Every structure is written in structure tokens, then in C-alpha cells.
Amino acid sequence: MVIDSRKTLEGPSRAPQRAMYKSMGLTDSDLSKPLVAVCSTCNEATPCNIHLGMLASKAKEGVKSSGNTPREFTTIAVSDGIAMGHEGMKSSLISREIIADSIEVMVRAHQYDAIVGISGCDKSLPGTLMAMARLNVPSIFVYGGTILPGNWNGQPVTIQDVYEAVGTYDAGKMSLEDLISLENVACPSAGSCAGMYTANTMASISEALGMSLPGSATPSAESSERQKITYETGKAIGLLIENDIRPKDILVYESFENAIMMANAIGGSTNAILHLLALSREIGIDLDIKDFEYIRRKTPHIANMRPGGNYVMLNLDNIGGIPIIMKSLLEKNILNGDVLTVTGKTIKENLNKFNFQKSKEYLKNHKTEFRNILKTIDSPIHREGTLKILFGNLAPEGAVIKIAGLEQTSFRGKAKVYNSEDAAFEAVSKNEIEAGDVVVIRYEGPKGGPGMREMLAVTAAIVGQGLGQKVAMITDGRFSGATRGFMIGHVTPEAMVGGPISIVKNGDEIEINLINETVDLKITKRELKKRLEKLKGIKIKYHTGALAKYATLVQSASDGAITTPIRKYMKKTLS
């Protein structure tokens, strides 16, 4: 289906459509130009999105300056931080699909010629990008920006610290007064969570994919630089329309390689794997979960970012942002510089043109801190990237662990099994988890949850109790980008479809080996087969509404947890 606003505006038969546009103040001159959708996820549900209406106004100014006519609309966005730790988190990943679907519906219905997408919270970034890929009209993405870190007792803090403080409080190591005083200062402004959590990870990836302007990922949400970037993004859509540059021209296999490299170089969120798999399905690239592992192995981890490291997005912006990381990777021939971007130029051309004066000045005046934030390729934090894919008899189709900040490469312990996140959190709150345990949380996968909940409330409470390096966790659910520790998620097949995680019993030994890239239940093949044959599933939890629809359509996490009634099989487009 070719999208073209002329079909809705030209000729005598379209007088009613023109009349409706004119009722909103548009003129014949406005209607003679391409119509550009300026879509944002502005709402009052989350600080990540509350300021996006103002940014949308800046984008519209940019669109007008490029000789085009903007049409603004909004879509939903769920606050992962507010939805975390209760039933509301089931709606988070589902919102990614709703965002993509709603943008698609709006653009198809009104036949808009191009899209400027603005979003701020975790699922709104991939949801917007997925819609752009699906529609394949000239499109450009701009991030809403990061929140500033708070200050508590003279130390920078983020929402991660508050979640971990809950565990510290439950363990009797923190007073209620201190918990509340931390709560009061952790989130001082609008914007997405400050560390290299999911939103900041996906913003960084959007630059590596070539779908955002260079340098657009890191400026803070309420800065003048963020407003300028949003204006320039609106202006840049004119070039894409004029030259008919579309997402399929930009989102090639090599672009996804660059994105995976970026996620590993910055110690990014495990959710990046899920979202890149989903985006690849929308654009028609056959990206496999095994591709993430071979790309990880050739990518050094160089950015010292929270939660595995010490710094936040503001610090990265101070030293030059994502372009300085891309430049480091390109100079060592790790990054592919020949792929096209939304500037109409390649990544290599963008970096050659980019003004690195900010980076040079910071390196000159704050050399020690610069090198604490960003290591060199020759002296990285880790020689290989941080998002490791594991296989084994517990995860025959794969599982994911983020190794940033981990001090050990293996773990063996006895399983404590819970059939929901709620049951596991209750056990943690009662201090029932002990050093050496492997906490197994199942029936929280895409179908089983449904919705594949993030487990930050549980993982942060474990860390807060001082058990972060002493306990492992395995789940068919997800983790927040703020999660750290020996935590394995995205276990596939999930329990709801009879995956091996469904037959683990309390007291079973589980072994995790990061060197061998395995996660195994230490029982015989005969015993495993016997248990699977006797397996009885659990009842479906939702029979109507969005969650029921999602559970019916959603695919495996190893396929991006996409929702589709028809499986598509595609050939990899390798150069």
C-alpha cells in the first residue's frame, strides 16, 4: 500500500476532506505540501513523556521551515517505573505493540507522507521505530531526553537507587526516614531514567541505526540543546521527503549490527535484544538471536555507565555523546561506517562532519574523568560486549544475561521456584532468599504473564539486601535496564508453552557458566524427558481485552515477542 496524502486532498471529490482540514486553520497552500505526522507519546503518566508536547511544537516549527505541513497527534506510553512490581507491568511490553499499531493506523487513515516520531519511555522508543519500519514512509526519530540525576547526601542518585533502597529497608539496614528522603530527590526533572537503562539504551541505538540525527540521544530532556535538536529533526524530514529516503533504505542488516555493537559498547539494557529483534521483523531483516552473540564477541565494552558502572547519560553527554563512541568504534574498523542515515549521508560522513569540540575540551580539561567515563578500545572495561546469550537444557532456544558489573563467571546453586513475580517478591520481602539460591520465576513470559513483566522490584530488593553477587535468578520474564547481578532473563521456550523452565523443582541444582555460555538444570536427560511428559500447564489468566489478545498472538522472546497472526520467513540481507 502506497501512502500519499494527495489521494486524500486532490480533485473535486476530495472537497469534504479539504473542508475538514480548513476547519483546523489550514490553507490551500498548506494542503498543497506534503503532510508530515508529528507523533509524540506526550502524557502525564510518566516524567519521561510529560514535556513531549513542547518538543512536538519545536518539531512542527522545523517541519514548517522545511516547506512541509505538520499534523500532530499523540499515542500512549506506559511508565515502567510506576507499573513496576505489580500487575500493571503486564501492560508494559504490550504497550509497544499498541504504540506501533496506533501510529500505523493514524498514518494509514490520513495518508500522511512522512513521520517525525518523538518518544521518551522504554517501550515508546521501539514502538515508534517499529511503526516507521512497518509503514516505510520517510521517517526520523528523536528522543525526548534523559532526566537529570538527583542528589542525596552529596551523591548522584537515580530511580535504581530507590528500588534497591526498598531491599535495604526490608533488610533492616535503612530507616524509613532515609528511604523517603531518597525518594524525594531521586527524580528531579522531566525525562527518562538517568542511567543506561532501556530508554537511554534505545536512544543510543537509534543513532547507531541511523534513524536519528547525530548527537541527538544524550542531551537532557529540559535542556535548550534538546529543543534545538527537536527543531532540527523536524527540519531534516524535508531532505528525506525530497530524496525519497525511507526506513528500508536505512535499516539494513549492517545497521542492526551497528546497533548491537552500540548496545554492547555502552553496557546497555537486555531489552535492546528484544526490541531489535522486533524491529528487524518489521523491516524484513532476518536477525537471529545467535547473531547477537557473534557481534558481542567482537565489540569491546567501553562506556562506564550505570547500572553496571558509575555514570549516567548526562556524563556521557558532557564528553560528546554517542558520536564519540561511534567514532572510537569506527576508527578500529569495528563499526560499519558505510550505511545510510536520516541525514542522507553515511555514518562515516556524519562523523567526519560532526563537531567534536565539546569532546576535545572535556578531554583537555578533565582527562581523568573523561577516561573514567569512556575507556579506549585498546584498554576497555571488558574485551567483549556485555549482552551475552546463553543456551542449555533450561534455555534450548536461548536466554540473556547482562555481564556488566559481574565479578564472577559461574554460579551453581539450588532452585527456589516461584510461579509468579508476586510470589517471588513476597519471599524476598520476608528475607527467605539466602546466599547460594537460584531464584526461578516462571509463567511470566510473553504468553504466560501475559506481557513478560520486568523483575526490577525483585532484583533490586535482592541487591539491596546485599545478595547481588550471592544469588542468581532465572526467569522467562524480562529485566529492567536498571537490573544488575547474576540475573538471566528471556528464557525460551517459556513455561507457558512447556519450556524446560516449567519442570524445575525446589532444591534442583542449576549451573550457570558464562565461559561456556550455558544454563543447565543438573538432572539426567531421562529425568528431564520424564518431567516434561508429566507436565500439566496452568490456566490462562485473561480471557478478554488487550492482555488476552496479546497472549493469543505473541511469539517467543527469541523472536522479539512480536504479535503477528502470520509467521514471516525472511532471508538475511548480507552485503
Side-chain angles (χ1 to χ4, degrees):
M1 178 179 181
V2 177
I3 293 175
D4 181 1
S5 62
R6 298 309 95 192
K7 290 183 287 187
T8 70
L9 294 171
E10 291 184 350
S13 66
R14 299 307 185 205
Q17 283 87 343
R18 292 192 297 274
M20 297 194 75
Y21 275 117
K22 289 177 180 179
S23 75
M24 294 183 279
L26 270 66
T27 66
D28 285 325
S29 175
D30 295 327
L31 296 177
S32 70
K33 301 169 184 175
L35 301 186
V36 177
V38 176
C39 172
S40 83
T41 54
C42 180
N43 63 36
E44 291 185 339
T46 163
C48 316
N49 298 281
I50 195 166
H51 62 301
L52 297 189
M54 179 270 290
L55 292 183
S57 295
K58 291 293 181 183
K60 288 164 67 178
E61 290 175 15
V63 170
K64 289 179 181 177
S65 74
S66 72
N68 298 286
T69 299
R71 304 311 299 151
E72 182 182 356
F73 66 88
T74 62
T75 183
I76 68 163
V78 167
S79 170
D80 279 16
I82 295 172
M84 194 76 69
H86 53 84
E87 187 187 30
M89 182 46 70
K90 294 176 184 287
S91 298
S92 171
L93 188 58
I94 296 173
S95 75
R96 184 190 72 179
E97 311 306 302
I98 295 172
I99 290 163
D101 290 350
S102 63
I103 295 173
E104 176 195 358
V105 166
M106 284 294 288
V107 173
R108 287 196 190 282
H110 304 100
Q111 294 291 290
Y112 295 138
D113 298 290
I115 305 169
V116 174
I118 311 166
S119 57
C121 203
D122 292 8
K123 308 307 172 296
S124 60
L125 281 77
T128 300
L129 287 166
M130 287 165 65
M132 291 172 170
R134 187 184 300 173
L135 291 160
N136 197 38
V137 297
S139 302
I140 187 165
F141 174 81
V142 60
Y143 181 39
T146 182
I147 198 171
L148 297 175
N151 186 296
W152 188 63
N153 294 339
Q155 297 296 319
V157 291
T158 71
I159 194 67
Q160 173 195 345
D161 296 284
V162 186
Y163 273 102
E164 293 181 3
V166 172
T168 307
Y169 170 75
D170 286 339
K173 300 176 182 179
M174 186 180 204
S175 69
L176 181 59
E177 290 77 15
D178 279 349
L179 178 61
I180 292 173
S181 70
L182 173 60
E183 162 195 330
N184 288 340
V185 299
C187 300
S189 68
S192 300
C193 299
M196 194 53 74
Y197 312 141
T198 302
N200 281 333
T201 297
M202 293 307 299
S204 304
I205 280 173
S206 72
E207 281 196 47
L209 282 168
M211 288 297 294
S212 299
L213 293 183
S216 64
T218 55
S220 59
E222 295 183 310
S223 65
S224 58
E225 183 65 18
R226 174 58 55 195
Q227 295 184 39
K228 179 182 176 184
I229 284 168
T230 309
Y231 172 84
E232 292 297 333
T233 298
K235 186 176 180 180
I237 198 68
L239 175 72
L240 299 182
I241 295 170
E242 183 180 346
N243 293 283
D244 195 29
I245 297 174
R246 300 169 183 257
K248 282 190 177 180
D249 300 315
I250 295 168
L251 294 174
V252 295
Y253 183 79
E254 292 79 5
S255 304
F256 284 92
E257 282 189 305
N258 287 345
I260 296 168
M261 289 172 188
M262 179 57 64
N264 280 282
I266 61 178
S269 168
T270 52
N271 284 311
I273 296 173
L274 205 66
H275 299 325
L276 284 171
L277 284 166
L279 181 60
S280 73
R281 300 304 184 264
E282 296 288 358
I283 204 69
I285 300 294
D286 187 15
L287 189 68
D288 189 89
I289 194 168
K290 292 179 181 178
D291 294 339
F292 286 82
E293 184 58 21
Y294 96 78
I295 296 168
R296 180 196 70 81
R297 290 174 185 168
K298 62 182 182 179
T299 307
H301 173 208
I302 55 175
N304 184 16
M305 307 295 290
R306 296 191 68 170
N310 301 320
Y311 295 94
V312 297
M313 202 67 155
L314 177 65
N315 302 120
L316 184 57
D317 186 59
N318 287 339
I319 69 167
I322 297 305
I324 194 67
I325 296 176
M326 295 176 72
K327 183 174 183 284
S328 298
L329 295 171
L330 183 63
E331 286 175 346
K332 294 293 183 178
N333 296 315
I334 298 170
L335 196 76
N336 188 317
D338 296 327
V339 291
L340 186 66
T341 74
V342 291
T343 66
K345 300 181 185 300
T346 66
I347 282 177
K348 185 186 296 182
E349 289 171 331
N350 287 343
L351 292 175
N352 286 338
K353 186 180 178 182
F354 193 80
N355 184 359
F356 286 101
Q357 188 61 34
K358 188 176 183 179
S359 300
K360 293 174 182 176
E361 289 179 2
Y362 206 92
L363 181 60
K364 179 181 177 181
N365 298 323
H366 309 279
K367 185 174 182 180
T368 300
E369 185 175 31
F370 188 105
R371 284 304 170 208
N372 283 337
I373 299 168
L374 184 66
K375 304 296 184 181
T376 64
I377 300 293
D378 296 326
S379 184
I381 302 167
H382 297 101
R383 291 287 173 189
E384 295 181 348
T386 56
L387 300 180
K388 185 179 277 285
I389 308 298
L390 306 179
F391 292 90
N393 67 4
L394 259 180
E397 294 178 8
V400 178
I401 185 171
K402 179 165 63 176
I403 63 172
L406 278 182
E407 298 171 1
Q408 61 210 84
T409 58
S410 64
F411 194 101
R412 185 165 180 150
K414 291 187 176 180
K416 283 189 176 174
V417 183
Y418 304 93
N419 285 345
S420 71
E421 178 193 9
D422 309 272
F425 185 72
E426 183 179 357
V428 175
S429 298
K430 292 179 178 178
N431 297 303
E432 294 176 4
I433 306 303
E434 302 171 345
D437 286 344
V438 179
V439 179
V440 177
I441 305 177
R442 62 193 181 194
Y443 296 104
E444 290 287 6
K447 286 185 178 294
M452 205 179 178
R453 283 194 283 187
E454 291 182 354
M455 306 289 168
L456 180 60
V458 180
T459 62
I462 288 172
V463 171
Q465 290 180 6
L467 296 171
Q469 300 288 342
K470 301 173 184 177
V471 166
M473 181 186 290
I474 297 174
T475 180
D476 52 8
R478 297 182 296 125
F479 295 128
S480 163
T483 290
R484 56 182 175 139
F486 226 104
M487 313 295 179
I488 297 171
H490 306 200
V491 169
T492 54
E494 63 174 289
M496 196 68 176
V497 300
I501 192 174
S502 62
I503 52 91
V504 181
K505 297 179 179 180
N506 283 318
D508 282 344
E509 277 203 321
I510 293 175
E511 183 175 44
I512 304 159
N513 191 311
L514 301 185
I515 302 298
N516 297 333
E517 299 167 357
T518 53
V519 51
D520 289 310
L521 180 62
K522 304 307 287 185
I523 60 175
T524 64
K525 291 182 179 179
R526 182 177 180 181
E527 174 64 14
L528 191 148
K529 182 179 178 182
K530 181 180 176 181
R531 291 189 192 182
L532 285 171
E533 288 173 348
K534 291 183 177 181
L535 179 65
K536 293 181 180 179
I538 66 169
K539 292 182 180 179
I540 296 172
K541 300 172 185 174
Y542 298 87
H543 298 276
T544 61
L547 275 71
K549 293 176 186 176
Y550 183 84
T552 301
L553 295 174
V554 71
Q555 305 297 317
S556 169
S558 61
D559 210 23
I562 55 171
T563 54
T564 175
I566 304 171
R567 287 287 289 116
K568 296 179 180 179
Y569 296 93
M570 298 156 287
K571 293 182 179 179
K572 187 174 295 183
T573 56
L574 290 168
S575 58

